[in-house]
Amino acid sequence: MTSRNDWTRAEIAALFDLPFGELMYQAQTVHRAHHAANEVQMCTLLSIKTGGCPEDCGYCSQSAHAETGVKATKLMDVRAVLQMAAQAKDSGSQRFCMGAAWRNPKERDMPAIVEMVKGVREMGMETCMTLGMLTPDQARALADAGLDYYNHNIDTSPERYGEVITTRTFAERLDTLEHVREAGINVCCGGIVGMGETREDRVGFIHALATLPRHPESVPVNALVPVKGTVLGDMLADTPLAKIDDIEFVRTVAAARVTMPMSMVRLSAGRESMSEATQALCFMAGANSIFTGDKLLTTGNRGDSADAALFAKLGMRPMEAEEPMRQAVCEAAE
């Protein structure tokens, strides 16, 4: 039950190969040893600067290389962001995540970013940001502002990375994670499955995370939402690879839970198209964090009422949620 950073690919591949019931048993055993059963952390994600990103990530509707109709916007006003954060808190969110479609933040934007972090923290919520690559000085500025988590996903296995993104390297991803760690900020790092990768790639993805010097405190596992106009959206739209098999997705969540026992494993993008049964299996496999609301950055999400109804059906509860979400769960149960 102790945390390890020396997992081999063979060991992780063996987890994926286990009979499904055995893998679920192992994942649930690890989960209950380190986390409260039947509790899920509620997080809200807001795009504070949308579109126009110079990166060519093949899955992203906000890339300037994609033809998705997403228009580039300026950085949101600090007051508008804090208003959205207050609404998220009233709806029961524990963590407020802010994302900007940048390769890296410009120095002229850092003062506003710092004020957003300070303002959300003053509300009593955990803060998370994803702004692209960071310099050591920018990471320290965010740490001084009180940022709790920084999200910077590795996206996929090191071997497949270059097929998904060419404008930055896998090593550059790791450099930003190192800057964040050195600044004393918690790491949120995961990736996307269902991008046409093989199981070997999924093993490599989990291996890259589980062998970091320190496991990410949050590990988001996303299912690709194919968007027309993106490289992967167009490539996978008419193929069987467009949607990862539900059981294989659950296996990936379970492998993340077993190999990174202390991490919060977040069931992230793709939930809108998942059945209640698939989501329930993910929670049984050790997922204990979700994004709430009707929208993520640019794609849809299930919405608070659907989540409350599912929680009531499964007998689950929001982790340290405020009264509005708890009330919604009670009403759904009735």
Side-chain angles (χ1 to χ4, degrees):
M1 295 294 179
T2 57
S3 184
R4 294 174 49 193
N5 302 82
D6 61 349
W7 288 91
T8 67
R9 289 201 177 202
E11 288 176 311
I12 297 172
L15 288 175
F16 273 88
D17 289 339
L18 284 172
F20 187 70
E22 176 62 25
L23 177 57
M24 294 292 282
Y25 174 76
Q26 288 196 25
Q28 187 63 200
T29 300
V30 171
H31 180 77
R32 287 175 179 251
H34 299 283
H35 304 273
N38 303 312
E39 285 192 358
V40 177
Q41 180 191 54
M42 313 302 284
C43 310
T44 296
L45 177 61
L46 174 67
S47 179
I48 60 174
K49 191 280 175 191
T50 303
C53 181
E55 303 281 21
D56 67 353
C57 305
Y59 52 81
C60 185
S61 63
Q62 300 192 69
S63 170
H65 300 263
E67 298 180 359
T68 59
V70 174
K71 295 182 179 179
T73 67
K74 295 182 179 180
L75 182 66
M76 286 180 64
D77 178 75
V78 174
R79 290 171 296 179
V81 171
L82 298 184
Q83 183 179 21
M84 297 296 290
Q87 293 174 6
K89 182 178 180 181
D90 289 343
S91 295
S93 283
Q94 183 188 34
R95 183 183 299 180
F96 193 67
C97 307
M98 295 160 275
W102 285 325
R103 175 178 169 83
N104 52 273
K106 293 181 171 60
E107 287 305 313
R108 67 170 181 261
D109 293 313
M110 289 301 296
I113 292 294
V114 164
E115 289 306 308
M116 291 175 192
V117 173
K118 290 180 177 179
V120 175
R121 286 213 75 199
E122 288 174 359
M123 297 179 192
M125 300 178 73
E126 291 181 353
T127 54
C128 181
M129 281 200 159
T130 178
L131 311 171
M133 295 186 293
L134 295 179
T135 66
D137 286 344
Q138 288 172 333
R140 284 191 290 270
L142 292 173
D144 291 343
L147 185 68
D148 297 293
Y149 292 82
Y150 192 79
N151 168 259
H152 199 61
N153 292 335
I154 60 169
D155 290 332
T156 187
S157 68
E159 294 78 13
R160 180 156 170 77
Y161 186 86
E163 298 177 41
V164 178
I165 303 161
T166 67
T167 49
R168 75 171 90 169
T169 66
F170 194 86
E172 286 178 310
R173 297 270 183 177
L174 298 182
D175 288 343
T176 288
L177 294 179
E178 185 176 351
H179 299 333
V180 169
R181 279 286 185 219
E182 290 176 348
I185 302 171
N186 293 312
V187 166
C188 175
C189 184
I192 307 170
V193 294
M195 296 193 292
E197 77 282 348
T198 64
R199 175 178 282 190
E200 184 178 357
D201 287 316
R202 288 187 281 276
V203 169
F205 160 60
I206 296 295
H207 178 262
L209 294 172
T211 55
L212 288 171
R214 180 174 164 186
H215 293 161
E217 282 74 18
S218 290
V219 179
V221 181
N222 299 272
L224 177 70
V225 179
V227 177
K228 184 178 180 181
T230 63
V231 173
L232 287 172
D234 291 344
M235 183 175 70
L236 300 178
D238 299 322
T239 74
L241 294 176
K243 184 177 185 299
I244 187 173
D245 173 80
D246 288 345
I247 298 299
E248 185 69 10
F249 183 84
V250 176
R251 284 184 181 275
T252 307
V253 172
R257 170 50 66 219
V258 173
T259 57
M260 294 171 279
M262 304 297 293
S263 303
M264 301 295 294
V265 176
R266 181 177 301 128
L267 186 56
S268 298
R271 279 203 311 126
E272 185 182 28
S273 61
M274 290 182 191
S275 68
E276 289 186 337
T278 297
Q279 292 184 77
L281 286 174
C282 288
F283 293 134
M284 290 179 65
N288 60 342
S289 178
I290 62 171
F291 281 125
T292 64
D294 300 318
K295 186 178 181 181
L296 298 180
L297 291 175
T298 60
T299 58
N301 196 34
R302 286 183 61 84
D304 293 343
S305 59
D307 288 336
L310 178 59
F311 277 29
K313 188 177 294 186
L314 299 179
M316 302 182 71
R317 58 189 177 276
M319 185 183 299
E320 299 181 5
E322 297 293 340
E323 186 61 30
M325 183 64 189
R326 291 189 181 277
Q327 182 64 31
V329 172
C330 292
E331 290 174 354
E334 294 172 358

